[in-house]
Amino acid sequence: MASTADDVDGSRPGRQRRGSTAGTEASAAEGPGSAEPTGPVAGTRWLNGDERAAWLANSAIMISLPAALDARMQREAGLTFFEYMVLSVLSEQPARTLQMSTLAARTAASLSRLSHVVGRLEKRALITRTRIPGPGRRTNATLTEAGYEVVVAAAPGHVAAVREYLIDGLDPQELATLRRIGAAVDTAVKREQADAGSAPPPPPKAAGTHDTHGRTAD
């Protein structure tokens, strides 16, 4: 049986041999001597060496970076990274209010996860929830003044962490490449979300305004 890591990172799984290790199998699966797979995996476009290396390097951004930001945010501001993102998104909206379903889309969270986190923030008086009149079970989330003060106080530390872990280690050309990569991935994800009926992307910010991610809209 191929190792779990091989399946996840996209390497073609090899046939298990007596006395071999998972690492040996992974190497053999990439080499010319391994048997071609049959059955449902036969048409899989397995990653080649360069593609696999790029994917594993990018995994550090997806896994290690959020974990580091979360640990630092909890240590410095008493918030999880996701709690900070919820407060931050609300802080940038008119009247600091969004419908819960829209807020879930903006933070890439399920509505159930968001409801749990908002409930926790509500107990800390950082957010309030109000029922929207009319049919259906629609609810608005509103950032309180105390919540706004918390997110504004946490923003400098968040920006410093983003600079330390990512931005300041890249030159302008690398930043431009990273931006193109992020835009391409975002387009692919939003295309799938649109097909599934997810919420549309947020409207552009007004010119000259600042947000709690450290940017100035232009």
Side-chain angles (χ1 to χ4, degrees):
M1 180 181 300
S3 68
T4 302
D6 290 340
D7 294 338
V8 171
D9 67 28
S11 301
R12 189 176 66 192
R15 184 176 299 175
Q16 186 174 16
R17 295 183 298 276
R18 184 174 302 172
S20 67
T21 65
T24 302
E25 289 180 49
S27 298
E30 299 290 347
S34 60
E36 289 297 322
T38 59
V41 301
T44 300
R45 296 176 60 219
W46 300 107
L47 304 182
N48 63 31
D50 289 340
E51 291 169 338
R52 181 173 180 269
W55 165 247
L56 291 177
N58 187 64
S59 295
I61 298 178
M62 296 189 298
I63 299 171
S64 300
L65 181 58
L69 291 171
D70 189 71
R72 185 156 169 171
M73 183 63 65
Q74 291 193 60
R75 183 173 66 251
E76 295 181 355
L79 297 168
T80 67
F81 180 55
F82 182 66
E83 287 172 342
Y84 174 80
M85 294 303 298
V86 170
L87 299 177
S88 176
V89 169
L90 286 175
S91 75
E92 297 162 13
Q93 309 309 311
R96 301 173 189 166
T97 298
L98 271 181
Q99 189 171 331
M100 286 286 288
S101 58
T102 305
L103 182 56
R106 301 280 178 90
T107 55
S110 67
L111 193 55
S112 60
R113 182 193 182 196
L114 177 66
S115 296
H116 176 74
V117 170
V118 168
R120 194 163 64 227
L121 294 171
E122 200 171 24
K123 290 179 180 178
R124 297 174 58 182
L126 304 182
I127 286 178
T128 59
R129 282 184 285 189
T130 55
R131 176 76 179 274
I132 300 175
R137 299 180 59 185
R138 298 176 302 155
T139 304
N140 275 338
T142 300
L143 186 68
T144 66
E145 189 61 33
Y148 183 74
E149 291 175 1
V150 165
V151 73
V152 167
H158 167 68
V159 174
V162 170
R163 281 196 168 279
E164 179 181 339
Y165 298 147
L166 182 65
I167 301 300
D168 289 347
L170 304 177
D171 62 34
Q173 184 176 354
E174 290 169 331
L175 282 173
T177 300
L178 181 64
R179 182 173 182 173
R180 288 194 297 270
I181 292 170
V185 172
D186 189 52
T187 297
V189 170
K190 285 181 177 175
R191 185 185 304 119
E192 191 277 335
Q193 290 176 335
D195 292 342
S198 298
K205 289 178 57 63
T209 58
H210 295 264
D211 63 26
T212 47
H213 297 289
R215 345 173 255 232
T216 301
D218 49 24

